[in-house]
Amino acid sequence: MSKILVTGGTGYIGSHACVELIESGNEVVIVDNLYNSNIAVLDRIEKLTGVRPTFYEMDILDADGLRRVFHEHKIDAVIHFAGYKAVGESVEKPLEYYHNNITGSLTLYMVMKEVGCKTLVFSSSATVYGSPKSCPIEEDFPVSTTNPYGSTKLMNEMILKDICISDPEWSVLCLRYFNPIGAHKSGLLGEVPNGIPNNLVPYIARVAIGQLEYLRVFGDDYDTVDGTGVRDYIHVVDLAKGHVSAVNHALGVKGFDTINLGTGNGYSVLEVLHAYEKACGKTLPYKVVERRSGDIATCFASTTKAKEVLGWEANYTIDEMCEDSWRFTQMNPKGIGTDL
Ligand code: NAD
Ligand code: WQD
């Protein structure tokens, strides 16, 4: 059993990871400032696992606070989810994004170094591949970014690589997620976007529940199966299980590595819409509009390295992802912490 510090542990992916970590016998300590999550998530983790994680309402920019956490707990490894994640907003507010995602992360890494906790799993993103030359995308493909959010992910990877070069005691795994969707089967945990969703499935979910009128499909003239954008959607529970494998692996090795977490399958916008229609039993209206600036046609992962290194692969189908999203949406029409 290991004791894992989970930053951002009340957030969408972090909360699912906490459940999987606890269910596989680990102890979890969460640090989250509740900027984009609700304290009620803790009740739900407890309801699902029978264990209430230790929780610190704290900003990762608070170095003294983090020191206190490490002194109060003998942490074996950190999974670092905390950060801002909206691509469009990062273009409007670059300073806030760099401050939170870079200065915040640096603060965490400094304190980890100070206290001698040198095992880390970092939430990176497929966004670091920019516009990939081909698919499936392998981990050694060139990296580049087109927005401040993506730059914060790539910069974190560079910083962590340099830390590992400087000190061979460190073990760092950067997990490059493709498109996480879906929710816990119980309907108790899921994604609660702030305001109007930017991402496809949260948007479709609002159309299905009647809070938004129709889906805008951003372009149908890409070179894809039906002209709409193709992505590698991965169930958040599969992703969470990937973190359990990753942290176990990181605890047994040293050095820096990057690993894709995806399914290796690509689905178009219309294919996802139709899977969601099947899940909710309704026809969902959509209109094709202009391409969204910065979008690429196709993006899906090579999953070979994750299988080889972590012994992990995704299992859930696109139909299950949509069914679980729909169950969560129906059970939590106003989000978590407002209705239970
Ligand atoms: P989320 O917003 O649901 O969770 C992030 C959590 O971090 C929130 O609970 C928020 O309150 C907390 N947080 C933010 N800044 C903090 C700070 N300074 N101090 C303490 N807590 C802070 O997001 P998510 O979808 O669960 O994403 C988790 C991580 O995975 C993020 O780093 C994100 O960039 C990355 N990621 C997400 C996706 C995706 O599509 N959801 C894809 C690739 C990578
Ligand atoms: C998916 C597809 C859209 C909304 C983003 C980030 C990435 C990562 C995951 C964090 C695209 C289309 C979308 C809509 C649409 N996040 N779409 N109508 O852009 O692949 O990735 O989230 O790291 O960094 O960029 O995900 O869900 O926004 O879009 O037609 O209302 O759905 O054009 O083809 P994306 P998405």
Side-chain angles (χ1 to χ4, degrees), residues 84-326:
Y84 296 161
K85 64 165 179 177
V87 171
E89 186 183 62
S90 79
V91 178
E92 310 292 321
K93 299 178 175 173
L95 276 173
E96 287 84 343
Y97 269 68
Y98 286 115
H99 186 55
N100 199 49
N101 292 8
I102 300 292
T103 316
S105 298
L106 283 174
T107 307
L108 172 69
Y109 308 153
M110 294 286 280
V111 174
M112 287 177 69
K113 181 185 165 195
E114 238 174 76
V115 301
C117 176
K118 297 181 177 178
T119 303
L120 177 83
V121 173
F122 173 68
S123 294
S124 189
S125 167
T127 194
V128 301
Y129 295 114
S131 193
K133 58 179 189 236
S134 62
C135 286
I137 302 172
E138 293 172 12
E139 285 82 351
D140 59 3
F141 275 25
V143 286
S144 67
T145 61
T146 52
N147 57 72
Y149 167 73
S151 299
T152 70
K153 291 296 169 193
L154 192 52
M155 285 178 190
N156 263 283
E157 289 198 3
M158 292 161 69
I159 290 163
L160 290 166
K161 192 172 183 181
D162 287 339
I163 293 173
C164 290
I165 290 169
S166 76
D167 178 353
E169 287 295 306
W170 279 81
S171 171
V172 175
L173 274 184
C174 292
L175 302 179
R176 294 173 173 167
Y177 314 153
F178 280 67
N179 290 56
I181 61 166
H184 195 271
K185 282 253 172 280
S186 62
L188 292 177
L189 296 175
E191 184 169 16
V192 185
N194 230 336
I196 296 180
N198 299 306
N199 295 114
L200 178 65
V201 171
Y203 200 103
I204 294 177
R206 296 283 183 98
V207 174
I209 198 92
Q211 293 171 357
L212 290 169
E213 204 184 334
Y214 60 89
L215 174 72
R216 290 168 305 153
V217 174
F218 297 140
D220 67 351
D221 56 353
Y222 289 104
D223 183 16
T224 62
V225 58
D226 55 21
T228 66
V230 166
R231 297 290 182 275
D232 185 340
Y233 297 94
I234 175 168
H235 196 296
V236 66
V237 171
D238 271 334
L239 194 66
K241 289 179 196 288
H243 287 76
V244 178
S245 307
V247 81
N248 286 337
H249 178 76
L251 281 163
V253 296
K254 302 285 181 214
F256 175 88
D257 213 350
T258 54
I259 299 186
N260 290 339
L261 294 187
T263 66
N265 303 313
Y267 289 97
S268 74
V269 173
L270 292 179
E271 285 171 335
V272 174
L273 182 71
H274 296 322
Y276 214 99
E277 288 181 326
K278 200 156 69 165
C280 70
K282 305 177 198 179
T283 302
L284 301 173
Y286 70 89
K287 287 185 191 164
V288 176
V289 299
E290 287 293 288
R291 289 182 177 195
R292 183 172 65 180
S293 133
D295 273 353
I296 53 177
T298 303
C299 173
F300 60 91
S302 162
T303 57
T304 311
K305 190 170 174 185
K307 277 183 216 151
E308 281 175 6
V309 176
L310 303 179
W312 167 91
E313 62 183 314
N315 288 311
Y316 287 100
T317 62
I318 192 74
D319 286 344
E320 289 171 297
M321 299 181 214
C322 294
E323 284 158 18
D324 293 343
S325 161
W326 178 232

